[in-house]
Amino acid sequence: MTSQDGLSSSFVEPVAGFTAGIVSTLSLHPLDMVIRKIFYHEGGCAAFYRGLTPNLIGNSTSWGLYFLCYSSLKDTIRIYRKESEQILTSSDYLLASGSAGVITSVLTNPIWVIKTRMLSTGSHAPGAYSSFASGAKQIYQLEGIPGFYRGLVPALFGVSHGALQFMAYEQLKLFRLRSMNNMGSIESSRLGAERVLGNVDFFAISGLSKVFAGSVTYPYQVIRSRLQTYEAHLIYRGAIDVISQIWAQEGIAGFYKGLGPNLFRVLPSTWVTFLVYENTKVYLSQLAQNP
Protein backbone atom coordinates (compact mmCIF):
# COMPACT_ATOMS: atom_id res chain seq x y z
CA MET A 1 0.00 0.00 0.00
CA THR A 2 1.25 3.50 -0.88
CA SER A 3 0.92 6.34 1.58
CA GLN A 4 -0.61 9.62 0.61
CA ASP A 5 2.87 11.14 0.67
CA GLY A 6 3.95 8.92 -2.21
CA LEU A 7 5.98 6.37 -0.23
CA SER A 8 5.03 2.74 0.22
CA SER A 9 4.48 1.63 3.80
CA SER A 10 6.50 -1.50 2.93
CA PHE A 11 9.47 0.86 2.53
CA VAL A 12 8.79 3.42 5.25
CA GLU A 13 8.00 1.00 8.09
CA PRO A 14 11.05 -1.32 7.87
CA VAL A 15 13.45 1.58 7.25
CA ALA A 16 12.08 3.49 10.24
CA GLY A 17 12.15 0.34 12.40
CA PHE A 18 15.65 -0.64 11.25
CA THR A 19 16.95 2.85 11.99
CA ALA A 20 15.31 2.90 15.40
CA GLY A 21 16.84 -0.48 16.26
CA ILE A 22 20.35 0.65 15.31
CA VAL A 23 20.18 3.95 17.18
CA SER A 24 18.72 2.47 20.35
CA THR A 25 21.26 -0.38 20.38
CA LEU A 26 24.31 1.81 19.83
CA SER A 27 23.25 4.30 22.48
CA LEU A 28 21.94 1.92 25.13
CA HIS A 29 23.80 -1.37 24.72
CA PRO A 30 25.92 -0.83 27.88
CA LEU A 31 22.73 -0.99 29.98
CA ASP A 32 22.62 -4.71 29.17
CA MET A 33 25.82 -5.10 31.19
CA VAL A 34 26.48 -4.91 34.94
CA ILE A 35 28.40 -1.66 34.78
CA ARG A 36 30.74 -1.27 37.73
CA LYS A 37 31.75 -4.93 37.94
CA ILE A 38 32.43 -5.13 34.21
CA PHE A 39 34.40 -1.90 34.14
CA TYR A 40 36.86 -3.09 36.76
CA HIS A 41 37.08 -6.79 35.90
CA GLU A 42 36.52 -7.06 32.16
CA GLY A 43 38.80 -4.44 30.66
CA GLY A 44 37.20 -1.02 31.02
CA CYS A 45 34.86 0.73 28.63
CA ALA A 46 35.38 -1.71 25.76
CA ALA A 47 33.72 -4.43 27.85
CA PHE A 48 30.46 -2.47 27.85
CA TYR A 49 30.12 -3.32 24.17
CA ARG A 50 30.68 -7.05 24.43
CA GLY A 51 27.89 -8.71 22.46
CA LEU A 52 27.23 -5.52 20.48
CA THR A 53 27.20 -7.30 17.12
CA PRO A 54 24.37 -9.76 17.88
CA ASN A 55 22.51 -7.03 19.76
CA LEU A 56 22.84 -4.66 16.82
CA ILE A 57 21.86 -7.30 14.27
CA GLY A 58 19.02 -8.54 16.45
CA ASN A 59 17.47 -5.18 17.30
CA SER A 60 17.74 -3.64 13.85
CA THR A 61 16.47 -6.77 12.10
CA SER A 62 13.72 -7.37 14.64
CA TRP A 63 12.34 -3.85 14.55
CA GLY A 64 12.58 -3.66 10.76
CA LEU A 65 10.75 -6.96 10.31
CA TYR A 66 8.26 -6.19 13.06
CA PHE A 67 7.13 -2.83 11.72
CA LEU A 68 6.98 -4.18 8.16
CA CYS A 69 4.76 -7.09 9.23
CA TYR A 70 2.71 -4.94 11.61
CA SER A 71 1.96 -2.32 8.97
CA SER A 72 1.18 -4.94 6.32
CA LEU A 73 -1.18 -6.80 8.63
CA LYS A 74 -3.04 -3.60 9.57
CA ASP A 75 -3.43 -2.83 5.86
CA THR A 76 -4.66 -6.38 5.26
CA ILE A 77 -7.32 -5.99 7.95
CA ARG A 78 -8.52 -2.76 6.34
CA ILE A 79 -8.59 -4.37 2.87
CA TYR A 80 -10.49 -7.36 4.23
CA ARG A 81 -13.13 -5.02 5.59
CA LYS A 82 -13.10 -3.05 2.31
CA GLU A 83 -13.03 0.16 4.30
CA SER A 84 -9.46 1.50 4.13
CA GLU A 85 -10.30 4.59 6.17
CA GLN A 86 -11.89 2.70 9.06
CA ILE A 87 -10.37 3.15 12.48
CA LEU A 88 -8.96 -0.13 13.76
CA THR A 89 -10.22 -1.51 17.06
CA SER A 90 -8.16 -2.68 20.03
CA SER A 91 -8.62 -6.30 18.96
CA ASP A 92 -7.38 -5.41 15.46
CA TYR A 93 -4.19 -3.89 16.86
CA LEU A 94 -3.78 -6.88 19.17
CA LEU A 95 -4.13 -9.33 16.27
CA ALA A 96 -1.80 -7.41 13.95
CA SER A 97 0.92 -6.83 16.55
CA GLY A 98 0.66 -10.37 17.92
CA SER A 99 0.97 -11.95 14.47
CA ALA A 100 3.89 -9.67 13.59
CA GLY A 101 5.55 -10.68 16.85
CA VAL A 102 5.25 -14.40 16.10
CA ILE A 103 6.82 -14.00 12.66
CA THR A 104 9.65 -11.85 14.01
CA SER A 105 10.36 -14.16 16.97
CA VAL A 106 10.68 -17.25 14.78
CA LEU A 107 13.03 -15.51 12.33
CA THR A 108 15.29 -13.82 14.89
CA ASN A 109 15.44 -16.28 17.82
CA PRO A 110 18.92 -17.62 16.84
CA ILE A 111 20.35 -14.10 17.14
CA TRP A 112 18.94 -13.65 20.64
CA VAL A 113 20.33 -16.99 21.83
CA ILE A 114 23.85 -15.88 20.86
CA LYS A 115 23.34 -12.41 22.32
CA THR A 116 22.04 -13.77 25.64
CA ARG A 117 24.98 -16.13 26.01
CA MET A 118 27.54 -13.46 25.15
CA LEU A 119 26.11 -11.09 27.74
CA SER A 120 25.70 -13.71 30.46
CA THR A 121 29.43 -14.40 30.76
CA GLY A 122 32.62 -12.39 30.77
CA SER A 123 34.89 -12.40 27.74
CA HIS A 124 37.52 -14.41 29.64
CA ALA A 125 35.18 -17.09 30.99
CA PRO A 126 35.79 -20.69 29.81
CA GLY A 127 33.83 -21.40 26.65
CA ALA A 128 32.78 -17.76 26.18
CA TYR A 129 31.99 -16.81 22.61
CA SER A 130 34.64 -14.51 21.16
CA SER A 131 32.35 -13.22 18.41
CA PHE A 132 28.92 -13.60 16.84
CA ALA A 133 30.26 -16.00 14.22
CA SER A 134 32.11 -18.03 16.87
CA GLY A 135 28.93 -18.34 18.92
CA ALA A 136 26.92 -19.51 15.93
CA LYS A 137 29.60 -22.09 15.07
CA GLN A 138 29.80 -23.47 18.62
CA ILE A 139 26.03 -23.75 18.98
CA TYR A 140 25.76 -25.59 15.68
CA GLN A 141 28.59 -27.99 16.55
CA LEU A 142 27.49 -28.75 20.11
CA GLU A 143 23.70 -28.49 19.94
CA GLY A 144 22.75 -28.55 16.29
CA ILE A 145 19.91 -26.53 14.80
CA PRO A 146 17.66 -26.98 17.89
CA GLY A 147 20.24 -25.01 19.89
CA PHE A 148 19.38 -21.87 17.96
CA TYR A 149 15.75 -22.19 18.99
CA ARG A 150 16.17 -22.59 22.73
CA GLY A 151 13.71 -20.32 24.50
CA LEU A 152 11.48 -20.00 21.44
CA VAL A 153 8.36 -21.27 23.22
CA PRO A 154 8.47 -18.65 25.99
CA ALA A 155 9.51 -16.09 23.36
CA LEU A 156 6.35 -16.88 21.42
CA PHE A 157 4.38 -16.58 24.63
CA GLY A 158 6.14 -13.27 25.12
CA VAL A 159 4.62 -12.06 21.87
CA SER A 160 1.75 -11.08 24.13
CA HIS A 161 4.07 -8.39 25.54
CA GLY A 162 4.50 -6.71 22.18
CA ALA A 163 0.85 -7.18 21.33
CA LEU A 164 -0.28 -5.51 24.55
CA GLN A 165 2.32 -2.77 24.21
CA PHE A 166 1.33 -1.84 20.66
CA MET A 167 -2.38 -2.07 21.41
CA ALA A 168 -1.86 0.34 24.31
CA TYR A 169 0.47 2.54 22.23
CA GLU A 170 -1.99 2.87 19.34
CA GLN A 171 -4.97 3.51 21.60
CA LEU A 172 -3.09 6.08 23.68
CA LYS A 173 -2.10 7.89 20.47
CA LEU A 174 -5.72 7.94 19.34
CA PHE A 175 -6.86 9.14 22.75
CA ARG A 176 -4.23 11.89 22.80
CA LEU A 177 -5.13 13.04 19.30
CA ARG A 178 -8.83 13.11 20.13
CA SER A 179 -8.14 15.14 23.26
CA MET A 180 -6.02 17.58 21.24
CA ASN A 181 -8.27 17.94 18.24
CA ASN A 182 -11.69 16.87 19.47
CA MET A 183 -11.87 14.59 16.45
CA GLY A 184 -13.72 11.32 16.08
CA SER A 185 -11.95 10.15 12.93
CA ILE A 186 -8.19 10.47 12.96
CA GLU A 187 -6.91 7.32 11.33
CA SER A 188 -7.91 8.60 7.90
CA SER A 189 -4.81 10.75 7.40
CA ARG A 190 -2.35 8.47 9.08
CA LEU A 191 1.01 10.15 8.56
CA GLY A 192 -0.49 13.62 8.73
CA ALA A 193 -2.27 12.85 11.99
CA GLU A 194 0.88 11.44 13.53
CA ARG A 195 2.71 14.71 12.87
CA VAL A 196 0.27 16.47 15.18
CA LEU A 197 1.81 14.61 18.10
CA GLY A 198 5.10 15.93 19.40
CA ASN A 199 8.14 14.19 20.85
CA VAL A 200 6.87 14.73 24.38
CA ASP A 201 3.66 12.90 23.45
CA PHE A 202 5.56 9.96 21.95
CA PHE A 203 7.87 9.91 24.97
CA ALA A 204 4.97 9.67 27.45
CA ILE A 205 2.82 7.31 25.37
CA SER A 206 5.62 4.85 24.61
CA GLY A 207 6.67 4.82 28.27
CA LEU A 208 3.17 4.19 29.58
CA SER A 209 2.50 1.41 27.08
CA LYS A 210 5.82 -0.27 27.95
CA VAL A 211 5.18 -0.19 31.70
CA PHE A 212 1.71 -1.64 31.17
CA ALA A 213 2.88 -4.49 28.94
CA GLY A 214 6.02 -5.15 30.97
CA SER A 215 4.18 -5.49 34.25
CA VAL A 216 1.68 -7.96 32.77
CA THR A 217 4.09 -10.21 30.88
CA TYR A 218 7.40 -10.03 32.77
CA PRO A 219 7.44 -13.70 33.95
CA TYR A 220 8.02 -14.98 30.40
CA GLN A 221 11.28 -12.99 30.21
CA VAL A 222 12.55 -14.73 33.33
CA ILE A 223 11.70 -18.14 31.86
CA ARG A 224 13.22 -17.36 28.45
CA SER A 225 16.47 -16.02 29.93
CA ARG A 226 16.97 -19.13 32.02
CA LEU A 227 16.36 -21.38 29.02
CA GLN A 228 18.94 -19.51 26.94
CA THR A 229 21.88 -19.63 29.38
CA TYR A 230 24.93 -21.78 28.58
CA GLU A 231 24.03 -24.83 30.70
CA ALA A 232 20.26 -24.61 30.38
CA HIS A 233 20.12 -28.00 28.62
CA LEU A 234 21.76 -29.57 31.68
CA ILE A 235 19.58 -27.83 34.27
CA TYR A 236 16.13 -27.67 32.68
CA ARG A 237 14.12 -30.12 30.58
CA GLY A 238 12.03 -27.34 29.06
CA ALA A 239 9.83 -24.35 29.81
CA ILE A 240 7.51 -26.33 32.09
CA ASP A 241 10.48 -27.53 34.14
CA VAL A 242 11.74 -23.95 34.48
CA ILE A 243 8.34 -22.87 35.79
CA SER A 244 8.24 -25.78 38.25
CA GLN A 245 11.72 -25.09 39.60
CA ILE A 246 11.14 -21.36 39.99
CA TRP A 247 7.85 -21.98 41.79
CA ALA A 248 9.36 -24.61 44.09
CA GLN A 249 12.52 -22.69 44.93
CA GLU A 250 11.47 -19.03 44.83
CA GLY A 251 7.69 -18.87 44.82
CA ILE A 252 5.66 -16.31 42.90
CA ALA A 253 8.28 -13.63 43.59
CA GLY A 254 10.74 -15.58 41.45
CA PHE A 255 8.74 -14.82 38.32
CA TYR A 256 9.06 -11.08 39.00
CA LYS A 257 12.68 -11.08 40.09
CA GLY A 258 14.35 -7.99 38.67
CA LEU A 259 11.16 -6.34 37.37
CA GLY A 260 12.09 -2.89 38.69
CA PRO A 261 15.63 -2.86 37.25
CA ASN A 262 14.28 -4.36 34.02
CA LEU A 263 11.78 -1.52 33.55
CA PHE A 264 14.53 0.96 34.36
CA ARG A 265 16.69 -0.71 31.70
CA VAL A 266 14.09 -1.08 28.95
CA LEU A 267 12.35 2.29 29.24
CA PRO A 268 15.26 4.29 27.77
CA SER A 269 15.41 1.84 24.88
CA THR A 270 11.65 2.17 24.36
CA TRP A 271 11.81 5.97 24.38
CA VAL A 272 14.71 6.09 21.92
CA THR A 273 13.21 3.44 19.65
CA PHE A 274 9.79 5.05 19.29
CA LEU A 275 11.09 8.62 19.06
CA VAL A 276 13.52 7.62 16.30
CA TYR A 277 10.86 5.49 14.57
CA GLU A 278 8.20 8.21 14.54
CA ASN A 279 10.62 10.96 13.52
CA THR A 280 12.19 8.82 10.79
CA LYS A 281 8.74 8.26 9.28
CA VAL A 282 8.11 12.00 9.29
CA TYR A 283 11.54 12.65 7.76
CA LEU A 284 10.97 10.12 4.97
CA SER A 285 7.59 11.65 4.21
CA GLN A 286 9.04 15.14 4.05
CA LEU A 287 11.88 13.85 1.88
CA ALA A 288 9.37 12.39 -0.57
CA GLN A 289 7.48 15.68 -0.73
CA ASN A 290 10.64 17.73 -1.22
CA PRO A 291 13.11 15.57 -3.19
Side-chain angles (χ1 to χ4, degrees), residues 77-214:
I77 292 173
R78 293 188 182 96
I79 292 172
Y80 176 77
R81 290 179 172 173
K82 300 179 181 179
E83 296 181 32
S84 61
E85 306 301 328
Q86 182 176 348
I87 297 176
L88 298 182
T89 65
S90 294
S91 59
D92 293 329
Y93 288 125
L94 198 64
L95 175 62
S97 57
S99 300
V102 169
I103 295 169
T104 302
S105 293
V106 171
L107 293 177
T108 62
N109 196 77
I111 300 172
W112 297 122
V113 172
I114 299 172
K115 178 248 183 179
T116 298
R117 294 184 180 185
M118 290 186 74
L119 296 186
S120 65
T121 60
S123 59
H124 304 299
Y129 301 153
S130 59
S131 66
F132 181 82
S134 172
K137 182 179 179 181
Q138 287 189 48
I139 291 174
Y140 182 74
Q141 291 177 338
L142 298 176
E143 304 172 53
I145 296 299
F148 291 105
Y149 286 92
R150 289 194 175 278
L152 178 60
V153 172
L156 290 176
F157 175 76
V159 164
S160 60
H161 174 96
L164 289 170
Q165 180 182 351
F166 273 80
M167 179 190 72
Y169 182 74
E170 297 282 10
Q171 292 299 331
L172 286 170
K173 283 204 301 183
L174 294 173
F175 175 79
R176 175 58 176 159
L177 284 166
R178 287 194 182 102
S179 67
M180 291 171 62
N181 304 299
N182 193 27
M183 293 171 60
S185 177
I186 55 176
E187 185 85 359
S188 56
S189 54
R190 189 164 58 87
L191 287 176
E194 288 173 351
R195 292 195 193 108
V196 175
L197 295 178
N199 287 332
V200 174
D201 296 309
F202 292 129
F203 180 88
I205 291 170
S206 62
L208 287 172
S209 61
K210 188 67 174 181
V211 170
F212 165 70

Side-chain angles (χ1 to χ4, degrees), residues 41-83:
H41 298 287
E42 293 290 337
C45 292
F48 295 151
Y49 285 89
R50 172 169 166 73
L52 175 62
T53 299
N55 211 12
L56 192 62
I57 295 173
N59 275 322
S60 59
T61 302
S62 293
W63 281 118
L65 282 171
Y66 187 91
F67 281 115
L68 172 61
C69 294
Y70 182 52
S71 175
S72 299
L73 287 165
K74 287 192 296 182
D75 289 341
T76 299
I77 292 173
R78 293 188 182 96
I79 292 172
Y80 176 77
R81 290 179 172 173
K82 300 179 181 179
E83 296 181 32

Side-chain angles (χ1 to χ4, degrees), residues 262-283:
N262 181 72
L263 288 176
F264 175 78
R265 179 179 64 86
V266 300
L267 277 174
S269 176
T270 298
W271 291 326
V272 172
T273 298
F274 279 89
L275 285 172
V276 173
Y277 165 72
E278 297 286 3
N279 281 281
T280 300
K281 288 203 299 180
V282 171
Y283 172 77

Side-chain angles (χ1 to χ4, degrees), residues 240-255:
I240 300 299
D241 190 38
V242 174
I243 295 172
S244 298
Q245 290 195 39
I246 292 176
W247 178 262
Q249 298 169 16
E250 306 171 55
I252 191 67
F255 294 101

